[in-house]
Amino acid sequence: MDPIHTAIQEITMLGKSARESAIHVAAAATRAGWGDGGGEILDLGTRAATLSTIASIDAISAVVHIGHPAQPDPDLERLLLTGDDALIITDSVSIEPQWVLAARSAESSGMVIVDEAGMRDCRGELRALGLAPRVVPSPTTMEQRVALAAEGDYLLVERDVIPRGFSEVAASARLARLPALWFGLLEASAGLPAFSAPAQVWLAVGPQEDHEGSLLATLSVFADHGVDLQHLRSARSTVGPHVFLSSFAISSSTQLRALLDTLEDRSVEYRILAVIPGDFRSEGPDAITPVWDNDLYTRR
């Protein structure tokens, strides 16, 4: 068994941020086999507080929403990069969302009570249904949500916790179109995980000097090592040049080590944010079908 998987087996406690759905997090942990076999998942507060706790306490890891292994959630990338340098995503799992719309009756006011996780996952479908969201903090109790809901209001909740007096409505069929939810295991790592099978790596890099062509020079390192970037975006840095955040598949920790050595030789700062077992080169969020401006801007 690879050391990265051995570490997962040794976890005794799991936590989550307050904004996440406890039901979805528990489903992810159960499916992936994380934790100690069904123990309580601790609420660790804000996402920033969750990362701080994982970095400072041994034998506890967190289940976090990651977007997708091949295309990280931008907010999570930022939190990881600005947090303790031991933090790393070491595994991932997908689950089917359990969100449903529930109401007291068929009469609708067009308003839906929804928490932060539900709004993140269902924003597009709620908009398509013409519903006006009233967003509440995820820790809001079901009793409080019911009290907030007027007679014709909907609740967006997980199917297993539809409150008494409410029932799932036909509009919930729209939510069946939701894509799978991806969660990752956040741990404090003692170093570069060793792996001999394909893995997805999230890597942040920062050229030492910010000048014309500095990104091209950095990207040439990836090309030289046969790495095909699936995700790349830039962010401003408060301490120097731009930061470039990437995601790519790589075959082994040996190949990754060689890539990192070359970055060091070229004075490129870097930080590994995730090493996720699996080959995700053919996967990812919905693909874009671009419409180019060829006709509009063609030289005449």
Side-chain angles (χ1 to χ4, degrees), residues 204-252:
V205 297
Q208 193 174 61
E209 296 182 5
D210 202 3
H211 57 80
E212 290 185 9
S214 59
L215 174 57
L216 180 60
T218 302
L219 292 181
S220 69
V221 176
F222 293 92
D224 291 345
H225 286 270
V227 171
D228 180 24
L229 297 180
Q230 295 160 270
H231 163 75
L232 178 67
R233 72 181 186 90
S234 66
R236 292 188 301 120
S237 170
T238 61
V239 294
H242 283 79
V243 173
F244 300 102
L245 299 123
S246 67
S247 173
F248 53 88
I250 202 161
S251 62
S252 67

Short mmCIF file of all heavy atoms in Angstrom, two decimals, residues 204-252:
data_model
loop_
_atom_site.label_atom_id
_atom_site.label_comp_id
_atom_site.label_asym_id
_atom_site.label_seq_id
_atom_site.Cartn_x
_atom_site.Cartn_y
_atom_site.Cartn_z
N ALA A 204 1.00 25.37 -6.74
CA ALA A 204 1.11 26.82 -6.90
C ALA A 204 2.57 27.16 -7.15
O ALA A 204 3.46 26.61 -6.49
CB ALA A 204 0.61 27.52 -5.64
N VAL A 205 2.82 28.04 -8.11
CA VAL A 205 4.19 28.44 -8.42
C VAL A 205 4.28 29.95 -8.51
O VAL A 205 3.30 30.62 -8.87
CB VAL A 205 4.70 27.80 -9.74
CG1 VAL A 205 4.75 26.28 -9.61
CG2 VAL A 205 3.83 28.20 -10.93
N GLY A 206 5.46 30.48 -8.21
CA GLY A 206 5.69 31.92 -8.29
C GLY A 206 7.09 32.20 -8.80
O GLY A 206 8.06 31.99 -8.07
N PRO A 207 7.22 32.64 -10.05
CA PRO A 207 8.54 33.01 -10.57
C PRO A 207 9.18 34.07 -9.68
O PRO A 207 8.50 34.97 -9.18
CB PRO A 207 8.24 33.55 -11.97
CG PRO A 207 6.90 32.97 -12.33
CD PRO A 207 6.15 32.84 -11.04
N GLN A 208 10.48 33.97 -9.46
CA GLN A 208 11.17 34.90 -8.58
C GLN A 208 11.11 36.33 -9.10
O GLN A 208 11.01 37.29 -8.34
CB GLN A 208 12.63 34.47 -8.39
CG GLN A 208 13.34 35.18 -7.25
CD GLN A 208 14.72 34.62 -7.02
OE1 GLN A 208 15.58 34.66 -7.89
NE2 GLN A 208 14.95 34.07 -5.83
N GLU A 209 11.14 36.47 -10.43
CA GLU A 209 11.07 37.79 -11.04
C GLU A 209 9.84 37.86 -11.95
O GLU A 209 9.60 36.96 -12.74
CB GLU A 209 12.33 38.08 -11.86
CG GLU A 209 13.58 38.16 -11.02
CD GLU A 209 14.79 38.49 -11.86
OE1 GLU A 209 14.61 38.76 -13.07
OE2 GLU A 209 15.91 38.49 -11.31
N ASP A 210 9.09 38.95 -11.80
CA ASP A 210 7.88 39.14 -12.60
C ASP A 210 8.23 40.04 -13.78
O ASP A 210 8.41 41.24 -13.62
CB ASP A 210 6.80 39.78 -11.73
CG ASP A 210 5.41 39.52 -12.27
OD1 ASP A 210 5.29 38.81 -13.28
OD2 ASP A 210 4.44 40.03 -11.68
N HIS A 211 8.35 39.46 -14.95
CA HIS A 211 8.71 40.24 -16.13
C HIS A 211 8.06 39.60 -17.35
O HIS A 211 7.51 38.50 -17.26
CB HIS A 211 10.23 40.30 -16.31
CG HIS A 211 10.85 38.94 -16.42
ND1 HIS A 211 10.85 38.19 -17.58
CD2 HIS A 211 11.50 38.19 -15.50
CE1 HIS A 211 11.46 37.04 -17.37
NE2 HIS A 211 11.87 37.02 -16.12
N GLU A 212 8.11 40.30 -18.47
CA GLU A 212 7.54 39.73 -19.68
C GLU A 212 8.21 38.40 -20.01
O GLU A 212 9.44 38.32 -20.09
CB GLU A 212 7.70 40.71 -20.85
CG GLU A 212 6.84 41.95 -20.73
CD GLU A 212 6.93 42.83 -21.97
OE1 GLU A 212 7.52 42.36 -22.96
OE2 GLU A 212 6.42 43.96 -21.94
N GLY A 213 7.40 37.37 -20.17
CA GLY A 213 7.93 36.06 -20.48
C GLY A 213 8.20 35.18 -19.27
O GLY A 213 8.60 34.03 -19.43
N SER A 214 7.99 35.71 -18.04
CA SER A 214 8.29 34.91 -16.86
C SER A 214 7.34 33.71 -16.76
O SER A 214 7.75 32.62 -16.35
CB SER A 214 8.19 35.76 -15.59
OG SER A 214 6.90 36.32 -15.45
N LEU A 215 6.08 33.89 -17.15
CA LEU A 215 5.15 32.76 -17.12
C LEU A 215 5.55 31.72 -18.17
O LEU A 215 5.54 30.51 -17.89
CB LEU A 215 3.72 33.24 -17.37
CG LEU A 215 2.67 32.12 -17.52
CD1 LEU A 215 2.64 31.22 -16.29
CD2 LEU A 215 1.29 32.72 -17.79
N LEU A 216 5.93 32.19 -19.35
CA LEU A 216 6.33 31.26 -20.41
C LEU A 216 7.52 30.41 -19.98
O LEU A 216 7.56 29.20 -20.20
CB LEU A 216 6.68 32.03 -21.68
CG LEU A 216 7.12 31.19 -22.89
CD1 LEU A 216 6.01 30.22 -23.30
CD2 LEU A 216 7.49 32.09 -24.06
N ALA A 217 8.49 31.05 -19.32
CA ALA A 217 9.66 30.31 -18.86
C ALA A 217 9.28 29.26 -17.83
O ALA A 217 9.81 28.15 -17.81
CB ALA A 217 10.68 31.28 -18.28
N THR A 218 8.33 29.61 -16.96
CA THR A 218 7.88 28.65 -15.95
C THR A 218 7.10 27.52 -16.59
O THR A 218 7.29 26.34 -16.25
CB THR A 218 7.01 29.36 -14.89
OG1 THR A 218 7.78 30.42 -14.30
CG2 THR A 218 6.56 28.40 -13.81
N LEU A 219 6.23 27.84 -17.53
CA LEU A 219 5.43 26.81 -18.19
C LEU A 219 6.31 25.84 -18.98
O LEU A 219 5.96 24.67 -19.15
CB LEU A 219 4.40 27.45 -19.12
CG LEU A 219 3.28 28.24 -18.44
CD1 LEU A 219 2.32 28.80 -19.49
CD2 LEU A 219 2.52 27.36 -17.46
N SER A 220 7.44 26.33 -19.45
CA SER A 220 8.33 25.45 -20.21
C SER A 220 8.85 24.31 -19.34
O SER A 220 9.17 23.22 -19.85
CB SER A 220 9.50 26.25 -20.79
OG SER A 220 10.39 26.69 -19.77
N VAL A 221 8.93 24.52 -18.02
CA VAL A 221 9.36 23.46 -17.12
C VAL A 221 8.37 22.30 -17.16
O VAL A 221 8.76 21.13 -17.21
CB VAL A 221 9.52 23.99 -15.68
CG1 VAL A 221 9.88 22.85 -14.73
CG2 VAL A 221 10.57 25.09 -15.62
N PHE A 222 7.08 22.64 -17.13
CA PHE A 222 6.06 21.60 -17.19
C PHE A 222 6.14 20.84 -18.51
O PHE A 222 6.06 19.61 -18.54
CB PHE A 222 4.67 22.22 -17.01
CG PHE A 222 4.43 22.79 -15.65
CD1 PHE A 222 4.70 24.12 -15.37
CD2 PHE A 222 3.92 22.00 -14.63
CE1 PHE A 222 4.48 24.65 -14.11
CE2 PHE A 222 3.69 22.51 -13.37
CZ PHE A 222 3.98 23.84 -13.10
N ALA A 223 6.32 21.58 -19.59
CA ALA A 223 6.41 20.94 -20.91
C ALA A 223 7.62 20.02 -20.98
O ALA A 223 7.54 18.90 -21.51
CB ALA A 223 6.48 22.00 -22.00
N ASP A 224 8.74 20.47 -20.44
CA ASP A 224 9.96 19.67 -20.47
C ASP A 224 9.81 18.36 -19.72
O ASP A 224 10.50 17.37 -20.02
CB ASP A 224 11.13 20.46 -19.89
CG ASP A 224 11.55 21.63 -20.76
OD1 ASP A 224 11.14 21.66 -21.94
OD2 ASP A 224 12.26 22.52 -20.25
N HIS A 225 8.91 18.35 -18.72
CA HIS A 225 8.71 17.13 -17.92
C HIS A 225 7.46 16.35 -18.36
O HIS A 225 7.02 15.45 -17.64
CB HIS A 225 8.62 17.50 -16.44
CG HIS A 225 9.95 17.86 -15.84
ND1 HIS A 225 10.78 16.92 -15.24
CD2 HIS A 225 10.61 19.05 -15.77
CE1 HIS A 225 11.88 17.52 -14.83
NE2 HIS A 225 11.80 18.82 -15.13
N GLY A 226 6.92 16.70 -19.52
CA GLY A 226 5.80 15.96 -20.06
C GLY A 226 4.51 16.12 -19.29
O GLY A 226 3.66 15.22 -19.29
N VAL A 227 4.33 17.28 -18.65
CA VAL A 227 3.12 17.53 -17.85
C VAL A 227 2.15 18.39 -18.64
O VAL A 227 2.53 19.45 -19.15
CB VAL A 227 3.49 18.24 -16.53
CG1 VAL A 227 2.23 18.70 -15.80
CG2 VAL A 227 4.30 17.30 -15.64
N ASP A 228 0.91 17.92 -18.74
CA ASP A 228 -0.15 18.65 -19.45
C ASP A 228 -1.04 19.32 -18.41
O ASP A 228 -1.75 18.64 -17.66
CB ASP A 228 -0.96 17.68 -20.31
CG ASP A 228 -2.09 18.39 -21.07
OD1 ASP A 228 -1.97 19.61 -21.29
OD2 ASP A 228 -3.08 17.71 -21.42
N LEU A 229 -1.00 20.64 -18.34
CA LEU A 229 -1.80 21.36 -17.35
C LEU A 229 -3.28 21.30 -17.71
O LEU A 229 -3.67 21.65 -18.82
CB LEU A 229 -1.35 22.82 -17.26
CG LEU A 229 0.08 23.07 -16.78
CD1 LEU A 229 0.36 24.56 -16.75
CD2 LEU A 229 0.30 22.46 -15.40
N GLN A 230 -4.10 20.86 -16.76
CA GLN A 230 -5.55 20.84 -16.96
C GLN A 230 -6.21 22.10 -16.40
O GLN A 230 -7.35 22.41 -16.72
CB GLN A 230 -6.15 19.61 -16.28
CG GLN A 230 -5.70 18.29 -16.88
CD GLN A 230 -5.92 17.14 -15.93
OE1 GLN A 230 -5.06 16.81 -15.13
NE2 GLN A 230 -7.08 16.52 -15.99
N HIS A 231 -5.49 22.80 -15.55
CA HIS A 231 -6.04 23.98 -14.87
C HIS A 231 -4.91 24.95 -14.62
O HIS A 231 -3.83 24.55 -14.17
CB HIS A 231 -6.69 23.54 -13.55
CG HIS A 231 -6.94 24.66 -12.57
ND1 HIS A 231 -7.98 25.57 -12.72
CD2 HIS A 231 -6.31 25.01 -11.43
CE1 HIS A 231 -7.96 26.42 -11.71
NE2 HIS A 231 -6.96 26.11 -10.91
N LEU A 232 -5.13 26.22 -14.95
CA LEU A 232 -4.13 27.25 -14.70
C LEU A 232 -4.83 28.59 -14.53
O LEU A 232 -5.63 28.98 -15.36
CB LEU A 232 -3.13 27.33 -15.86
CG LEU A 232 -2.04 28.41 -15.74
CD1 LEU A 232 -1.09 28.08 -14.60
CD2 LEU A 232 -1.27 28.55 -17.05
N ARG A 233 -4.54 29.26 -13.43
CA ARG A 233 -5.05 30.61 -13.24
C ARG A 233 -4.03 31.41 -12.45
O ARG A 233 -3.18 30.85 -11.75
CB ARG A 233 -6.42 30.61 -12.54
CG ARG A 233 -6.40 30.27 -11.08
CD ARG A 233 -7.80 30.26 -10.49
NE ARG A 233 -7.80 30.06 -9.06
CZ ARG A 233 -7.73 31.04 -8.15
NH1 ARG A 233 -7.68 32.30 -8.56
NH2 ARG A 233 -7.72 30.79 -6.87
N SER A 234 -4.11 32.71 -12.58
CA SER A 234 -3.15 33.58 -11.89
C SER A 234 -3.84 34.37 -10.80
O SER A 234 -5.06 34.58 -10.82
CB SER A 234 -2.49 34.54 -12.89
OG SER A 234 -3.45 35.45 -13.39
N ALA A 235 -3.06 34.78 -9.83
CA ALA A 235 -3.56 35.63 -8.74
C ALA A 235 -2.46 36.61 -8.37
O ALA A 235 -1.27 36.31 -8.49
CB ALA A 235 -3.94 34.78 -7.54
N ARG A 236 -2.85 37.79 -7.94
CA ARG A 236 -1.87 38.77 -7.48
C ARG A 236 -1.27 38.31 -6.15
O ARG A 236 -1.92 37.66 -5.36
CB ARG A 236 -2.50 40.14 -7.34
CG ARG A 236 -2.91 40.77 -8.66
CD ARG A 236 -3.36 42.20 -8.48
NE ARG A 236 -4.50 42.31 -7.57
CZ ARG A 236 -4.51 43.01 -6.45
NH1 ARG A 236 -3.43 43.67 -6.07
NH2 ARG A 236 -5.59 43.06 -5.69
N SER A 237 -0.03 38.67 -5.93
CA SER A 237 0.65 38.35 -4.68
C SER A 237 1.00 39.63 -3.94
O SER A 237 1.37 40.62 -4.56
CB SER A 237 1.91 37.53 -4.95
OG SER A 237 2.69 37.41 -3.79
N THR A 238 0.89 39.60 -2.61
CA THR A 238 1.25 40.78 -1.82
C THR A 238 2.74 40.82 -1.50
O THR A 238 3.23 41.81 -0.96
CB THR A 238 0.47 40.79 -0.49
OG1 THR A 238 0.83 39.61 0.27
CG2 THR A 238 -1.03 40.81 -0.73
N VAL A 239 3.47 39.76 -1.85
CA VAL A 239 4.88 39.69 -1.47
C VAL A 239 5.80 39.55 -2.68
O VAL A 239 6.95 39.15 -2.53
CB VAL A 239 5.14 38.52 -0.49
CG1 VAL A 239 4.44 38.77 0.82
CG2 VAL A 239 4.70 37.21 -1.11
N GLY A 240 5.31 39.89 -3.84
CA GLY A 240 6.17 39.80 -5.00
C GLY A 240 5.41 39.51 -6.28
O GLY A 240 4.31 40.03 -6.49
N PRO A 241 5.98 38.66 -7.13
CA PRO A 241 5.38 38.38 -8.44
C PRO A 241 4.03 37.69 -8.34
O PRO A 241 3.57 37.31 -7.26
CB PRO A 241 6.41 37.45 -9.09
CG PRO A 241 7.67 37.65 -8.33
CD PRO A 241 7.25 37.97 -6.93
N HIS A 242 3.42 37.52 -9.49
CA HIS A 242 2.16 36.80 -9.55
C HIS A 242 2.32 35.37 -9.05
O HIS A 242 3.41 34.80 -9.07
CB HIS A 242 1.65 36.76 -11.00
CG HIS A 242 1.04 38.04 -11.46
ND1 HIS A 242 1.79 39.12 -11.86
CD2 HIS A 242 -0.26 38.40 -11.60
CE1 HIS A 242 0.98 40.10 -12.22
NE2 HIS A 242 -0.27 39.70 -12.08
N VAL A 243 1.21 34.81 -8.60
CA VAL A 243 1.13 33.40 -8.24
C VAL A 243 0.32 32.69 -9.32
O VAL A 243 -0.72 33.21 -9.75
CB VAL A 243 0.45 33.21 -6.87
CG1 VAL A 243 0.23 31.73 -6.58
CG2 VAL A 243 1.29 33.84 -5.77
N PHE A 244 0.80 31.55 -9.76
CA PHE A 244 0.07 30.76 -10.74
C PHE A 244 -0.36 29.45 -10.09
O PHE A 244 0.47 28.75 -9.49
CB PHE A 244 0.93 30.50 -11.97
CG PHE A 244 1.37 31.77 -12.66
CD1 PHE A 244 2.65 32.26 -12.48
CD2 PHE A 244 0.48 32.48 -13.46
CE1 PHE A 244 3.06 33.43 -13.09
CE2 PHE A 244 0.87 33.65 -14.08
CZ PHE A 244 2.16 34.13 -13.90
N LEU A 245 -1.64 29.15 -10.18
CA LEU A 245 -2.20 27.97 -9.55
C LEU A 245 -2.57 26.96 -10.62
O LEU A 245 -3.30 27.30 -11.57
CB LEU A 245 -3.42 28.35 -8.71
CG LEU A 245 -3.07 29.33 -7.57
CD1 LEU A 245 -3.91 30.59 -7.70
CD2 LEU A 245 -3.26 28.68 -6.22
N SER A 246 -2.09 25.74 -10.48
CA SER A 246 -2.27 24.74 -11.52
C SER A 246 -2.77 23.43 -10.97
O SER A 246 -2.69 23.16 -9.76
CB SER A 246 -0.92 24.50 -12.24
OG SER A 246 0.01 23.89 -11.37
N SER A 247 -3.27 22.60 -11.89
CA SER A 247 -3.67 21.23 -11.56
C SER A 247 -3.31 20.35 -12.75
O SER A 247 -3.55 20.73 -13.90
CB SER A 247 -5.18 21.16 -11.28
OG SER A 247 -5.60 19.82 -11.12
N PHE A 248 -2.73 19.20 -12.46
CA PHE A 248 -2.31 18.32 -13.54
C PHE A 248 -2.16 16.89 -13.03
O PHE A 248 -2.01 16.64 -11.83
CB PHE A 248 -0.97 18.78 -14.13
CG PHE A 248 0.13 18.97 -13.10
CD1 PHE A 248 0.95 17.91 -12.73
CD2 PHE A 248 0.34 20.21 -12.51
CE1 PHE A 248 1.94 18.07 -11.79
CE2 PHE A 248 1.34 20.39 -11.56
CZ PHE A 248 2.14 19.32 -11.20
N ALA A 249 -2.20 15.94 -13.97
CA ALA A 249 -1.98 14.53 -13.66
C ALA A 249 -0.51 14.21 -13.82
O ALA A 249 0.16 14.74 -14.71
CB ALA A 249 -2.81 13.65 -14.59
N ILE A 250 -0.01 13.33 -12.96
CA ILE A 250 1.40 12.92 -13.03
C ILE A 250 1.49 11.47 -12.61
O ILE A 250 0.68 10.98 -11.81
CB ILE A 250 2.26 13.85 -12.16
CG1 ILE A 250 3.72 13.83 -12.61
CG2 ILE A 250 2.10 13.52 -10.68
CD1 ILE A 250 4.53 15.02 -12.11
N SER A 251 2.47 10.76 -13.14
CA SER A 251 2.49 9.31 -13.00
C SER A 251 3.06 8.80 -11.69
O SER A 251 2.70 7.71 -11.23
CB SER A 251 3.28 8.69 -14.17
OG SER A 251 4.63 9.13 -14.14
N SER A 252 3.96 9.56 -11.06
CA SER A 252 4.60 9.06 -9.84
C SER A 252 5.22 10.21 -9.07
O SER A 252 5.44 11.31 -9.61
CB SER A 252 5.68 8.04 -10.18
OG SER A 252 6.76 8.67 -10.85
#
